[in-house]
Amino acid sequence: MSDDEKKTPVVATNLELFLSEVKFDHTALNVGRDVGLGEVVETVQLGNVSFSKVIVFDTDVLFSKNLERVFSTADPKPDADPPQVDAPDPPPAADLLISLLLTSRRSEAVIGDLTERFQKDSREYGAVRARRLYWGRALRSVWPLLRRAVGRAIRLGAFVEAVRRFF
Amino acid sequence: MELTTLEQHAMLAIMALQPNAYGISIQDHISQKAGYEPSAGSIYAALDRLEEKGFVKSKAGEATPERGGKRKFYFSLTAPGRRALDHSMNAVHSLGDAAGWQEAVA
């Protein structure tokens, strides 16, 4: 087949169009498998849907010109981000507990760190275990923060008392 | 001025991690190098004390969606902090030398 006999590759941008053109059960398509009218060269699984890029011979002109056409069911927006799944939220009660013991600036830092860990854990272990780990970390943090807050209050109280005595 | 062990470790972690020393990275560094994992609360209580003493300073960084829109706070050592850490490390080494620590564990 010479270059001038080839058509410009045609890109089908959705799965229905691809299936109607190829007339094959999508489940029969596998990478590298010859499907008669063409050949699957690449399959990508996104969630429950498979997207396949297939080189399909044009049946209308198969015997006369033996042209090739390329159909792709790849994502119509190749640069688009993959579908986003809503990230779970960390337990708000644990955040509240931390924020009661700290200044707003410090609680922002601590809760931000705990949330960053939570997001990583929820990707690795799932939301339920991540929430448990979050609570564990938050509770482990309470004692040193409480001690610090009490120490500060005592120092402040002692200072106020000293000022009162002086005046 | 004396430093607690955790304060000493936190300051060494801050030095090692510049310019990316914030709560989680400090915690992970201590966990990897010192073999124990202090809680976020312990780390921030220590950093709070150090900041109060003027040994470290913090700077607000970027807020990311992964942190629930909360900002990171990056820490660095101040000049008095470096001197205090140097003094503290020298004290540990002097005490260790006086006890013949290296020969004892060799």
Side-chain angles (χ1 to χ4, degrees):
Chain A
M1 182 170 45
S2 64
D3 283 343
D4 56 357
E5 286 175 325
K6 284 184 179 177
K7 278 186 182 176
T8 307
V10 177
V11 177
T13 55
N14 68 60
L15 190 60
E16 289 74 23
L17 176 59
F18 162 66
L19 290 174
S20 67
E21 288 282 345
V22 180
K23 295 183 175 58
F24 272 91
D25 179 358
H26 186 255
T27 56
L29 302 176
N30 292 301
V31 174
R33 178 174 172 180
D34 185 358
V35 292
L37 291 176
E39 186 181 2
V40 179
V41 291
E42 189 181 352
T43 296
V44 177
Q45 186 82 27
L46 284 177
N48 296 325
V49 183
S50 290
F51 295 88
S52 300
K53 183 178 178 182
V54 180
I55 298 172
V56 182
F57 298 107
D58 190 325
T59 49
D60 295 332
V61 289
L62 183 63
F63 299 108
S64 56
K65 290 184 183 175
N66 196 24
L67 296 176
E68 281 184 11
R69 296 173 72 190
V70 177
F71 290 85
S72 169
T73 59
D75 190 336
K77 293 174 187 168
D79 294 327
D81 290 334
Q84 295 292 311
V85 179
D86 282 346
D89 291 325
D95 289 356
L96 180 67
L97 190 64
I98 298 285
S99 60
L100 287 173
L101 298 168
L102 290 165
T103 60
S104 59
R105 189 178 158 92
R106 274 288 180 265
S107 69
E108 184 179 2
V110 176
I111 294 170
D113 283 3
L114 290 172
T115 306
E116 195 176 323
R117 290 246 192 242
F118 171 80
Q119 297 299 346
K120 194 172 165 237
D121 289 340
S122 60
R123 281 195 300 274
E124 276 180 36
Y125 310 120
V128 174
R129 189 168 169 197
R131 282 203 183 89
R132 253 185 251 140
L133 288 168
Y134 189 95
W135 265 112
R137 290 198 180 100
L139 291 174
R140 264 187 79 204
S141 292
V142 166
W143 175 241
L145 294 176
L146 184 67
R147 218 169 45 182
R148 174 92 185 122
V150 168
R152 233 185 209 160
I154 289 170
R155 278 203 305 280
L156 183 67
F159 175 74
V160 170
E161 189 60 30
V163 170
R164 270 190 189 160
R165 276 184 196 163
F166 186 76
F167 289 104
Chain B
M1 197 177 281
E2 286 171 21
L3 296 173
T4 65
T5 306
L6 182 57
E7 287 171 350
Q8 204 177 52
H9 290 180
M11 289 174 86
L12 288 167
I14 290 170
M15 270 184 83
L17 293 165
Q18 282 305 305
N20 190 36
Y22 74 106
I24 287 184
S25 65
I26 294 170
Q27 199 179 9
D28 287 347
H29 188 80
I30 292 174
S31 171
Q32 285 161 17
K33 303 291 178 190
Y36 71 100
E37 191 180 319
S39 68
S42 310
I43 292 280
Y44 277 101
L47 291 170
D48 212 24
R49 285 192 301 270
L50 291 169
E51 198 163 19
E52 208 172 76
K53 291 173 191 169
F55 292 167
V56 303
K57 58 184 178 184
S58 64
K59 187 179 72 177
E62 70 275 19
T64 60
E66 198 176 31
R67 295 175 59 82
K70 305 279 191 296
R71 290 172 299 171
K72 281 181 185 174
F73 286 84
Y74 292 102
F75 291 86
S76 57
L77 296 190
T78 60
R82 281 176 190 277
R83 282 196 297 275
L85 182 61
D86 185 48
H87 179 78
S88 176
M89 295 296 288
N90 283 337
V92 170
H93 288 138
S94 298
L95 287 165
D97 291 344
W101 169 73
Q102 280 189 327
E103 293 78 17
V105 295

